[in-house]
Amino acid sequence: MSEQTTQSQRRVVVVGAGMAGVQTAVALREQGFTGTVTLIGAEPHQPYDRPPLSKAVLLGKSEGSAFDVDFEALGIELLLGREALGVRPDAHELDTEAGPVPYDVLVLATGAEPVRLPGAEGVPGVHLLRTLDDAERLRPVLARQHDIVVVGAGWIGAEFATAAREAGCAVTVVEAADRPLAGALPAEVAAPMAAWYADAGAVLRTHARVRHIEPGEVVLDDGTRVPAGAVVVGIGARPATGWLTGSGIELGAHHEVQADQHLRASAPDVYAVGDCASFPSGRYGERLLVHHWDNALQGPRTVAANIIGAATGAPDAVYDPVPYFWSEQFGRFVQYAGHHTSADTTLWRGDPSGPAWSVCWLRENRLIALLAVGRPRDLAQGRRLIEGGTPMDPELLADPARPLKAATA
């Protein structure tokens, strides 16, 4: 069978029961798909949302974060605790621990997995924070108010350090780069954020590489020993695609599935969405790999539309979003929209040493990205201006008292 099979006979199999997988299954039903939908997850838990893991679940304010979806009522078959082992596109079969699963259309939504710290495997007291089980293992650690060392001052490191301080732990964050968020933001934008750690009573050590971890201590490259009742590693994530080796499905430089603008993978009848896939952005003129919740929420609507459209002959939907994410850290709400790497101008709105400020990135006087700290209105208006490609007046834009929508050229 191919995508042209009668819709009610088609079997869509979605691999990955995180946000992207769940939203794909739900979007198929919402858009009227009448065939079989099977959602396969490696974890045994009911599908759940990840952002609360570093906040409410970790601090014991919530037992879990299961999606509020009635899978049975939607006619979505759940196969949980079943790891995917491989794909044979020619046979239209997915290999799992429990045997092969045939499909007419396959959606790859396996997300990302945390990068592990070399040499830390099996050392007692070393934790990752990616899954519900990770959060549940860390909850009693925070409750005991251990000395915590966080390796990595990225988004997840800052969010975990925030929760650990809220729980009353002593927190040291060690970062190999010269600043927090070195991989995500330019130096001058990330620099003001370094002060947030001290303000919250956490210690941030930059230029600090981990040599090795011993029980109760983290040893840095310079020989410094940092006491650690527990160590949390937050040094990034990479697409969870190792299981696709040998499938013939094309992977990119970061081992992500290379999807096209319709979120189709290189094999017939296979789509890819969320953290495990990159896509070409017409808006930004480059391929984007977006490891954020909003991408896992938005992409599935395009995938569902194209799966249904393949049977009805509807034109293909193109996926070209303005990327968006947010982070709550050290009492601040940080939001980002767009993609700033091709900017020719950077403008500040407000004082970065204060509680509320924004950074605007322009290309040829059009807004292409915006970071807002405690200025949600800037973000909401900026996102619409980015989507519209609206010409801006840089002088008006730099006035923090002026609404962004009133700073157009």
Side-chain angles (χ1 to χ4, degrees):
M1 288 195 203
S2 75
E3 284 192 345
Q4 302 306 317
T5 310
T6 307
Q7 178 174 295
S8 61
Q9 298 175 307
R10 286 196 301 164
R11 300 161 297 183
V12 176
V13 174
V14 183
V15 194
M19 171 62 87
V22 167
Q23 289 298 327
T24 299
V26 170
L28 281 163
R29 292 299 188 223
E30 285 179 343
Q31 295 181 30
F33 181 75
T34 56
T36 304
V37 179
T38 302
L39 182 63
I40 299 179
E43 293 182 58
H45 309 289
Q46 276 292 113
Y48 61 89
D49 203 4
R50 291 189 193 279
L53 298 185
S54 61
K55 305 172 185 78
V57 175
L58 195 58
L59 291 170
K61 297 175 181 176
S62 168
E63 281 307 306
S65 55
F67 290 112
D68 184 17
V69 174
D70 189 336
F71 294 100
E72 191 176 347
L74 288 171
I76 296 167
E77 179 187 22
L78 280 183
L79 300 178
L80 302 175
R82 189 176 294 198
E83 193 171 346
L85 303 177
V87 181
R88 286 173 287 121
D90 290 347
H92 276 60
E93 284 192 331
L94 171 77
D95 290 319
T96 76
E97 292 172 315
V101 177
Y103 66 83
D104 295 313
V105 182
L106 180 67
V107 181
L108 307 174
T110 45
E113 56 197 4
V115 175
R116 296 175 184 272
L117 189 67
E121 298 282 338
V123 177
V126 177
H127 300 263
L128 297 164
L129 180 53
R130 184 75 187 177
T131 67
L132 182 59
D133 289 342
D134 292 338
E136 288 177 347
R137 278 190 290 267
L138 275 163
R139 197 190 300 185
V141 173
L142 295 194
R144 289 195 294 270
Q145 299 190 333
H146 277 299
D147 286 348
I148 306 271
V149 173
V150 180
V151 183
W155 299 113
I156 193 69
E159 289 179 8
F160 180 80
T162 299
R165 284 299 298 138
E166 196 175 319
C169 300
V171 177
T172 301
V173 181
V174 296
E175 169 57 54
D178 62 351
R179 62 187 188 276
L181 295 167
L185 295 172
E188 71 273 16
V189 177
M193 299 176 175
W196 299 356
Y197 288 77
D199 290 348
V203 176
L204 172 64
R205 299 185 63 140
T206 54
H207 300 287
R209 288 190 175 277
V210 175
R211 182 187 293 169
H212 62 269
I213 297 174
E214 299 174 2
E217 283 187 324
V218 173
V219 183
L220 303 180
D221 255 2
D222 64 1
T224 303
R225 291 174 174 269
V226 184
V231 178
V232 176
V233 178
I235 54 175
R238 57 177 155 235
T241 55
W243 65 283
L244 291 172
T245 302
S247 68
I249 292 172
E250 188 179 343
L251 302 182
H254 302 282
H255 303 286
E256 84 284 9
V257 180
Q258 286 221 305
D260 66 10
Q261 70 269 34
H262 311 297
L263 296 180
R264 286 193 176 92
S266 61
D269 306 322
V270 178
Y271 293 80
V273 67
D275 287 9
C276 72
S278 65
F279 56 90
S281 168
R283 186 188 309 278
Y284 290 106
E286 60 182 285
R287 182 167 281 277
L288 300 183
L289 175 60
V290 180
H291 279 190
H292 291 297
W293 185 91
D294 191 66
N295 179 50
L297 176 68
Q298 305 293 345
R301 295 168 191 164
T302 300
V303 171
N306 286 334
I307 290 172
I308 294 166
T312 62
D316 286 333
V318 172
Y319 189 59
D320 194 9
V322 172
Y324 167 73
F325 71 87
W326 81 97
S327 175
E328 294 177 75
Q329 48 184 272
F330 308 118
R332 291 166 174 85
F333 187 44
V334 183
Q335 295 173 281
Y336 178 96
H339 184 64
H340 65 262
T341 53
S342 64
D344 55 34
T345 305
T346 304
L347 284 176
W348 295 75
R349 286 168 59 81
D351 178 1
S353 66
W357 47 277
S358 298
V359 180
C360 300
W361 286 273
L362 304 177
R363 185 176 65 221
E364 296 172 356
N365 283 348
R366 294 176 196 272
L367 194 63
I368 60 167
L370 179 127
L371 174 86
V373 177
R375 290 180 66 101
R377 191 170 295 161
D378 274 8
L379 192 288
Q381 293 180 11
R383 195 174 181 181
R384 287 194 289 270
L385 292 164
I386 294 168
E387 284 169 351
T390 311
M392 307 299 294
D393 182 322
E395 197 173 316
L396 299 179
L397 192 61
D399 176 4
R402 179 182 291 272
L404 271 178
K405 64 183 181 184
T408 55

